[in-house]
Amino acid sequence: MAKRELIIEGVVINDDSDVFTIAEIGHNHQGDIEKCKAMFRAAKECGVTSVKLQKRDNRALYTQAMYDEPYNSENAYAPTYGAHREVLEFSEEQYKELLAYARELGLVFFSTAFDVPSADLLERVGIPCYKIASGDLTNLPLVKHIARFGKPMFISTGGGTMEDVQRMVDEITPLNDKFCILQCTSGYPPAFEELNIRVIETYRNAFPDHVIGFSSHDNGIAMPLLGYMLGARVLEKHFTLNRAWKGTDQAFSLEPAGMRRVVRDLQRAKIALGDGVKRAYESEEKPLMKMQKKIVAARDLPAGRVLTEADLTFKSPADEGLRPFEVDKLIGKKLTQPLTRDQAVTFDMVAKAADVA
């Protein structure tokens, strides 16, 4: 594997590539597979690279007390937290169906695995890569279990310290070095002063062998561009079809119009950065002809006059003649022909040497 590069289903991610964009659907599909497919289609139309869900084995993940805890939220789908979460889960067969559908659309499809049984289910399904949630940054047994599958991983680092990130890198690299480290702040959404996007630079310096990305939980579209400029080549944004839908993640997710602009702006940024070589472009010629200036006679001037600064001025359009930076080459020279006011001055209108005697 090349330095700072991942390849997922033929999609290359490195410093020179387009951004690998992830539409994080999570459980915004509300447990409805047809709604989920509709979100896949919408994401594809927005131009994203991939779509992602979340997989939990709720009995394995939660204590019995938490599973049975009453859930009185306006976002609840059932009276207890565990039952609520079960409504939102897709089965193994449904995951296979969604994987096939995503591939028909030309999307990379994967999921976050929150526990070992979920990871094993996703591996049986055959997803091409895995997401590690911020909450599992310190859950090395789970991360190592997933690392042993040998597939690329996207590892979120929300709520972690640099020590936590370094520990994770040190522990899983011997098992699998194909992972991307995502700067993330695990607020839903976080305050902008807590995004700390410059951590992307910190990660790039500390982990030069790894792709660095940005899981942006804010509810706007501008921050991904900052992440890109600082070196993120993976961008995850929560995605929905309607932010008014029931669900805890809906309100800060992007609807298609917002996601489309994020993808568009990231693509434009890559192109617009260019190669750093300053040059003039053909498209600039007509506008600059109107704006730039040429050297012209400030008044009617007779042949034989020795030119002074007062005899010359600078006016648009720059359709002929000399540019203002060449004016010093004319001062002190004798005109070989008369000039009318506003006439462009050229070197062939003056003697080669001044003769003021």
Side-chain angles (χ1 to χ4, degrees), residues 11-22:
V11 180
V12 177
I13 312 170
N14 58 33
D15 283 351
D16 298 322
S17 72
D18 289 330
V19 176
F20 187 93
T21 45
I22 304 169

Side-chain angles (χ1 to χ4, degrees), residues 43-90:
K44 176 65 177 179
E45 291 170 1
C46 291
V48 304
T49 319
S50 65
V51 288
K52 188 184 79 66
L53 303 183
Q54 299 175 8
K55 183 58 186 162
R56 294 170 174 85
D57 183 315
N58 296 300
R59 290 289 187 183
L61 183 60
Y62 301 114
T63 64
Q64 190 66 48
M66 185 170 183
Y67 190 96
D68 293 336
E69 184 177 293
Y71 194 49
N72 299 316
S73 168
E74 61 182 7
N75 294 307
Y77 286 92
T80 66
Y81 189 69
H84 157 78
R85 300 252 37 136
E86 298 290 4
V87 171
L88 300 173
E89 293 298 329
F90 290 139

Side-chain angles (χ1 to χ4, degrees), residues 87 122-123 150 168 195 203 221 238 307 314 327:
V87 171
L122 294 170
E123 186 64 11
M168 178 272 300
L195 289 177
Y203 285 169
I221 65 171
H238 285 251
L307 293 173
F314 316 113
V327 69

Side-chain angles (χ1 to χ4, degrees), residues 277-293:
V277 177
K278 182 60 182 171
R279 58 173 67 84
Y281 294 95
E282 184 178 349
S283 64
E284 298 176 294
E285 290 179 5
K286 288 184 177 179
L288 287 176
M289 183 184 295
K290 295 179 179 179
M291 294 186 290
Q292 288 182 339
K293 299 172 181 66

